[in-house]
């Protein structure tokens, strides 16, 4: 049972690919972005400022966060849809930039990853969370392709936003994710770089699965 990590910027198709790859291999899927999003959602609800690191760390330590049947929950409440709301998008990179927040989540993520049989997706999965994972991937795509995916996702949720706005917010988030001092988005050592622009999910999953099978998955 291998440990597989998938990193990359927003909209590169990571979560869909990670979920399907996990299903194909019979592995568990761990969506680390959902954890940062759940904290951001809690901060919005409780009026905690996204710049207040001690308050966020305290909030996180009280967070009853679980995954059940692939959906994230805060206590008894399923928040899998709500964590994708634009209000969460806007602050999640700020929330995720705090070293104390990252430290606490990385520890939880390592515990959840256990001994293997897991596909972990995020920004620092292959660099910080599981640097000695057997299979590491870095998915990218052009900003236009990524904004287009995210835009469709928002439309399917009934949210009407312009593609220009989505592209601008995405570029801002990328910059924050790449520039932060801890857990910055970068290509992990030994990772396979995959540009998903113009590729279907099926094609990407097949490519990754072959790579993992050669390595014993
Ligand atoms: O993958 P996503 O869009 O759900 O991620 C949401 C935010 O969380 C994004 O701004 C980057 C941040 N994130 C992070 O800093 N570290 C991770 N391991 C996963 C996500």
């Amino acid at each position: 049972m291998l440990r597989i990590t998938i990193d990359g910027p927003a909209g590169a198709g990571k979560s869909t690919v990670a979920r399907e790859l996990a299903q194909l291999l019979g592995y568990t899927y761990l969506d680390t972005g959902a954890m940062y999003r759940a904290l951001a959602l809690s901060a919005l609800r409780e009026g905690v400022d996204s710049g207040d690191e001690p308050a966020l760390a305290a909030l996180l330590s009280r967070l009853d966060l679980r995954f059940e049947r692939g959906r994230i929950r805060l206590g008894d409440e399923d928040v899998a849809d709500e964590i994708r709301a634009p209000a969460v998008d806007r602050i999640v990179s700020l929330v995720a930039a705090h070293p104390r927040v990252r430290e606490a989540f990385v520890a939880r993520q390592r515990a959840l990853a256990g001994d293997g049989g897991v596909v972990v997706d995020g920004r620092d999965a292959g660099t910080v969370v599981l640097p000695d994972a057997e299979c590491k991937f870095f998915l990218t795509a052009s900003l236009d392709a990524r904004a287009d995916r995210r835009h469709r996702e928002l439309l399917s949720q009934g949210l009407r936003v312009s593609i220009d706005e989505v592209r601008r917010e995405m570029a801002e988030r990328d910059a924050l994710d790449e520039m932060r001092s801890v857990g910055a988005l970068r290509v992990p050592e030994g990772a396979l770089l995959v540009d998903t622009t113009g590729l279907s999910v099926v094609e990407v999953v097949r490519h990754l699965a072959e790579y993992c099978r050669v390595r014993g998955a």
Side-chain angles (χ1 to χ4, degrees):
M1 298 282 259
L2 308 183
R3 286 158 306 164
I4 299 168
T5 63
I6 304 185
D7 291 302
K14 285 183 318 269
S15 53
T16 312
V17 166
R19 183 175 287 114
E20 298 206 3
L21 180 65
Q23 199 172 5
L24 189 72
L25 298 173
Y27 282 17
T28 304
Y29 166 50
L30 179 59
D31 178 357
T32 64
M35 299 170 82
Y36 291 97
R37 285 174 176 275
L39 178 62
L41 176 64
S42 283
L44 283 173
R45 286 178 173 179
E46 307 219 356
V48 170
D49 192 276
S50 56
D52 190 343
E53 183 169 16
L56 288 168
L59 186 61
L60 192 162
S61 68
R62 289 189 273 115
L63 217 57
D64 179 12
L65 197 157
R66 349 174 168 151
F67 288 94
E68 273 175 34
R69 289 181 293 281
R71 301 196 47 103
I72 190 161
R73 305 176 74 88
L74 282 177
D76 290 334
E77 186 191 357
D78 182 320
V79 291
D81 296 325
E82 215 178 324
I83 60 164
R84 310 275 157 206
V88 173
D89 275 353
R90 262 173 237 125
I91 65 157
V92 63
S93 288
L94 301 170
V95 167
H98 298 294
R100 284 177 61 189
V101 167
R102 303 203 67 82
E103 231 169 74
F105 271 144
V106 166
R108 286 197 194 192
Q109 289 156 11
R110 285 188 185 137
L112 286 167
D115 298 334
V118 72
V119 180
V120 184
D121 107 29
R123 300 295 188 290
D124 58 347
T127 51
V128 179
V129 183
L130 300 174
D132 52 356
E134 289 80 12
C135 289
K136 300 184 195 180
F137 299 102
F138 192 89
L139 299 194
T140 58
S142 68
L143 179 61
D144 279 345
R146 296 191 290 115
D148 185 51
R149 278 189 194 130
R150 180 68 183 137
H151 187 232
R152 280 169 204 268
E153 212 175 276
L154 291 169
L155 289 182
S156 75
Q157 291 169 17
L159 298 163
R160 305 207 63 79
V161 281
S162 77
I163 179 110
D164 289 340
E165 196 182 327
V166 173
R167 193 187 297 110
R168 186 172 41 74
E169 286 191 359
M170 199 166 235
E172 277 171 21
R173 263 202 308 143
D174 284 353
L176 284 171
D177 290 342
E178 283 161 20
M179 289 180 325
R180 65 168 167 252
S181 56
V182 183
L185 174 67
R186 59 184 173 82
V187 182
E189 214 179 296
L192 181 72
L193 200 73
V194 181
D195 187 337
T196 65
T197 312
L199 294 181
S200 69
V201 172
V202 175
E203 287 169 311
V204 179
V205 171
R206 194 181 299 145
H207 183 48
L208 269 52
E210 272 166 25
Y211 183 91
C212 294
R213 289 222 163 95
V214 170
R215 283 158 182 79

